[in-house]
Amino acid sequence: MTEPSSKKSKMSALAQLKNFTVVVADTGDFETMKKYKPTDATTNPSLILAAAKMPQYKDLISKALKLAVANGKTIEEQTEEAMDNLVVLFGTEILSLIPGRVSTEVDARLSFDKEASIAKAIKYIKMYEKAGIPKERVLIKLASTWEGIQAAKVLEQEHGIHCNLTLLFSLYQAIACAESDVTLISPFVGRILDWHVANTDKKSFEPLKDPGVQSVTNIYNYFKKFNYKTVVMGASFRNIGEIKALAGCDLLTISPKLLEELELSNEPLTEYLTVKNGKASDLNKIEIDEAKFRWEMNEDKMANDKLSEGIRNFAADSRKLEKILTEMLSKIN
């Protein structure tokens, strides 16, 4: 028997969304996870940097610094160790609060270095395993450059390490990931909207017409039509309208502010993305190799701009965090 719509509307939008989609917390803040009870969580250098400045994480940082001093000889080695320990310690704490997986990001400065990305990912997994965390509960997060995707392919196929490919703005990036059997992709929504607002005459969009929403919908439908096992996690939202328009997506990673807005809203949600709709979509199979990937990225100014900008910004935040840790280590030494 179907539940009456009036009763459904009494559920928060967040509760309704959890019926269609796996909700992921896009934060490094533990209190948010306790409050909204997401299945998974994802972090990035910007979120770790923000959390590292909060007094409640002082003990975690102290632990990372002590481990760094014990394992590094020079200040440079200790700083790198402190960075690695901090992201894994955050991930370990997060996993004590959620039932699912945490995404741990490889330094964006390695985005064009396949071998270094592989080495860093393996190091993270070993550190998690030493802390008693099985690799099945960790997603290694890499930028969706050609090199990042190829690193993920090796990690998935040769090491059984699951990956989350981020900074993804085009169907061609998505297809390259799916062809490499990547576990999960994070196509961005809000940053695509930002680009269109900044670079076109149109300054506002209805949720279903939002270019970021349309991009993720197209990727989701393509994956379902051609039976890829890679799952889609929409990311980078500017408003809850975008989130509601992607209800039904495999996963959605949502900031604390927007989680709160969804919790306070009780408007009925529609499941827009479904496997059935994806399989019925009018999409043609696209063959892709490195040359095709690089050409299509070159031709897509939005995707090219936002990928480059995202890598630069994450790298800048990594450098800021590195500077903070170096100063702390200098005082210890």
Side-chain angles (χ1 to χ4, degrees):
M1 184 174 168
T2 305
E3 189 177 10
S5 58
S6 61
K7 188 173 180 182
K8 279 187 178 178
S9 68
K10 290 178 182 177
M11 292 176 66
S12 72
L14 182 59
Q16 293 176 66
L17 183 64
K18 288 178 179 179
N19 289 329
F20 305 136
T21 293
V22 174
V23 172
V24 180
D26 193 9
T27 179
D29 181 37
F30 305 151
E31 295 306 314
T32 296
M33 293 166 209
K34 292 175 185 175
K35 183 175 181 180
Y36 296 110
K37 298 179 172 55
T39 301
D40 292 357
T42 181
T43 63
N44 61 45
S46 305
L47 298 172
I48 295 288
L49 175 64
K53 294 176 180 178
M54 298 178 189
Q56 59 264 43
Y57 302 116
K58 185 179 177 181
D59 290 345
L60 210 60
I61 293 168
S62 295
K63 187 174 181 181
L65 294 173
K66 286 178 183 176
L67 287 167
V69 170
N71 292 294
K73 294 179 181 177
T74 66
I75 194 74
E76 290 79 12
E77 287 178 357
Q78 290 176 359
T79 299
E80 183 177 355
E81 286 295 318
M83 291 275 284
D84 292 345
N85 278 300
L86 193 58
V87 296
V88 172
L89 285 168
F90 262 96
T92 302
E93 288 293 322
I94 288 167
L95 287 171
S96 72
L97 303 173
I98 61 172
R101 301 175 295 192
V102 68
S103 289
T104 294
E105 188 150 351
V106 167
D107 194 317
R109 291 171 288 183
L110 303 180
S111 295
F112 301 100
D113 191 330
K114 172 187 169 184
E115 296 306 323
S117 294
I118 292 170
K120 185 66 77 175
I122 291 171
K123 181 181 180 181
Y124 283 163
I125 292 298
K126 286 181 178 177
M127 291 169 74
Y128 271 115
E129 288 178 337
K130 190 175 180 180
I133 306 294
K135 64 183 177 182
E136 288 75 22
R137 295 199 68 198
V138 180
L139 289 168
I140 293 295
K141 208 170 174 187
L142 298 154
S144 298
T145 57
W146 181 257
E147 293 80 5
I149 296 167
Q150 299 314 302
K153 184 176 183 178
V154 172
L155 291 167
E156 295 271 7
Q157 296 181 2
E158 297 182 19
H159 300 278
I161 294 173
H162 301 303
C163 297
N164 169 359
L165 272 288
T166 188
L167 293 176
L168 194 148
F169 303 96
S170 84
L171 179 61
Y172 294 94
Q173 287 175 292
I175 294 170
C177 290
E179 291 286 347
S180 298
D181 292 329
V182 167
T183 296
L184 179 149
I185 61 168
S186 295
F188 281 35
V189 179
R191 296 193 197 190
I192 293 178
L193 173 65
D194 294 345
W195 189 93
H196 282 269
V197 169
N199 292 279
T200 70
D201 294 333
K202 195 166 175 62
K203 303 304 176 186
S204 63
F205 298 83
E206 293 297 316
L208 292 175
K209 299 293 184 182
D210 183 303
V213 169
Q214 292 184 332
S215 175
V216 174
T217 299
N218 193 42
I219 290 168
Y220 175 92
N221 287 339
Y222 187 93
F223 280 19
K224 302 314 175 190
K225 184 174 181 71
F226 297 108
N227 300 311
Y228 287 110
K229 68 178 185 179
T230 301
V231 294
V232 179
M233 181 171 74
S236 167
F237 295 104
R238 296 295 175 260
N239 54 71
I240 62 172
E242 291 176 326
I243 296 168
K244 291 177 179 180
L246 289 172
C249 192
D250 297 316
L251 308 94
L252 296 173
T253 181
I254 306 169
S255 69
K257 177 180 178 291
L258 296 180
L259 284 170
E260 183 176 15
E261 287 186 37
L262 288 166
E263 183 67 45
L264 295 174
S265 168
N266 61 0
E267 291 183 12
L269 257 62
T270 299
E271 186 179 12
Y272 287 108
L273 275 61
T274 67
V275 174
K276 183 180 179 182
N277 289 346
K279 289 190 177 299
S281 59
D282 185 20
L283 295 169
N284 296 317
K285 193 82 158 49
I286 297 170
E287 299 299 327
I288 196 162
D289 57 16
E290 182 178 355
K292 174 80 168 172
F293 176 92
R294 294 193 185 280
W295 176 253
E296 294 297 343
M297 288 297 291
N298 181 73
E299 290 294 282
D300 188 335
K301 182 168 171 49
M302 178 278 296
N304 207 358
D305 286 354
K306 298 311 286 186
L307 173 62
S308 299
E309 178 187 69
I311 291 171
R312 284 196 302 272
N313 289 344
F314 282 156
D317 283 338
S318 290
R319 283 191 286 270
K320 289 175 187 174
L321 180 58
E322 203 169 63
K323 184 180 178 182
I324 291 169
L325 295 173
T326 299
E327 289 172 355
M328 290 178 172
L329 285 163
S330 297
K331 292 176 182 177
I332 294 172
N333 288 318

